Amino acid sequence: MSILNWSSLSLFSSKPLPHCKGRISVGAITKVLLRDLPPGRIVVLQHRDLDEVAAQELIDQKVKAVINCEQTMSGRYPTHGPLMLLQEQIPIWEADSAVFEAFKMNSEITVYEDRILLEDQEIACSLFTREKWLSMQQQANERTTQLMEHFIDNTLTYAMRDMHAVMEPLPQIAIQTNLEDRHVLIVSRGKGYKKDLLAAKAYIAEVKPVLIGVDGGADALLECGYLPHLIVGDMDSVTDKALSCGAELVVHAYADGTAPGLSRIDALGLSAHVLPCFGTSEDMALLLAFEKRCEVLVTVGARTHMIDFLEKGRAGMGSTLLVRMKVGARLIDIKSIGILYKSRGWTKEASSTLFLSLFFIALSLFQLHWIVKRVAHVVWKLGGEG
């Protein structure tokens, strides 16, 4: 008679097995949570329409699972963020926003398919599946035209409101970093920013541009082995390590001079310039470099289209449209420069290509030499017969 062990008995047990268990990290603002997120955590978020940049950061941090106390996808606009997580075998559960406060940092939880055990509480949840992502994505695609019309209206409305502000120069701040007649590389935390920055190594090595990190873009520079000269922004998504790296700091302030990010700088015992400017921190970085008479502006991870802006909670791009009109003659995206410098780099693939080219040229010359000899031989024979 065979003996059943405990693992065999579990097959016949009616008690469901947990899908996931572990320690949690909790954050209502995803980019703030990501600043110092330990690997292997179950993260609890409040992130409506999970965007691709946040999804990639969660993947890079090797999170175990995501519990979202918001709609992971609302169907308002298309996004591949949730699908990116699912493709990496990172499960997503959705819970009601009202239960977010029940989750405490560093608590241990156990997650089943339809509920979460948190100490002595049981919280209802539902698994976000690929089928749900596909349904929401199709729904969003059907609304694209209507969404675009609203986005254009919003963009033009705010562009009309801010057009006089963009014509005025920024308030003068005495930064020590010299930008005049220099290439300036501005790194923002946008889609594909890490990959694009890695592709720009040859350009950075040869030109040695001034490096400006916009908030979390400063951390991307450090990760790639570069020390930013300037860090600008609201100072919400950049790490303490980056802020303390020795870069010159410029805090983005509202038009009235209020700068919420300055309190964090003060808490770290650092000093910073305060620069009032309309629009986004990325807009401010572009205007600052432009007005400091840089020669060329190169952007990495810059927002370029409607979905980029919607994912950042902006229903239009009025300020960015105006700023790009103002600085446009000097503005280049890193993808253009990356292609140029990649083609100039001496890589293994380039060596192979050259070898094959020379081989086929030699082969062609050999064939041509053989053909000429054959023709000469035929001509000689015909002449002899004549």
Side-chain angles (χ1 to χ4, degrees), residues 23 25 36-42 58 60-64:
R23 197 174 295 276
S25 290
D36 300 298
L37 181 65
R41 288 297 182 101
I42 299 172
L58 291 166
D60 293 344
Q61 296 289 354
K62 296 179 172 55
V63 301
K64 185 181 291 185

Side-chain angles (χ1 to χ4, degrees), residues 201-250:
K201 279 192 171 184
Y203 162 71
I204 295 172
E206 182 174 325
V207 178
K208 296 179 174 53
V210 175
L211 303 175
I212 299 180
V214 180
D215 283 316
D219 288 285
L221 283 164
L222 288 172
E223 286 170 24
C224 291
Y226 304 116
L227 190 67
H229 298 94
L230 282 162
I231 300 174
V232 308
D234 303 319
M235 307 302 170
D236 53 359
S237 63
V238 60
T239 63
D240 291 350
K241 177 185 175 182
L243 289 174
S244 304
C245 75
E248 204 167 357
L249 308 178
V250 182

Side-chain angles (χ1 to χ4, degrees), residues 39-109:
R41 288 297 182 101
I42 299 172
V43 294
V44 182
L45 311 173
Q46 279 190 311
H47 197 133
R48 183 182 178 88
D49 292 310
L50 189 66
D51 59 272
E52 292 181 35
V53 173
Q56 188 59 57
E57 294 280 357
L58 291 166
I59 292 166
D60 293 344
Q61 296 289 354
K62 296 179 172 55
V63 301
K64 185 181 291 185
V66 173
I67 297 169
N68 195 1
C69 298
E70 259 292 358
Q71 284 184 289
T72 303
M73 280 187 77
S74 66
R76 180 169 168 250
Y77 58 83
T79 177
H80 284 81
L83 182 63
M84 289 167 63
L85 290 171
L86 297 179
Q87 287 174 333
E88 294 294 325
Q89 309 303 316
I90 298 172
I92 306 168
W93 281 274
E94 293 182 305
D96 192 272
S97 59
V99 305
F100 180 74
E101 298 299 330
F103 294 96
K104 304 301 179 186
M105 186 69 82
N106 297 322
S107 298
E108 294 274 355
I109 66 169

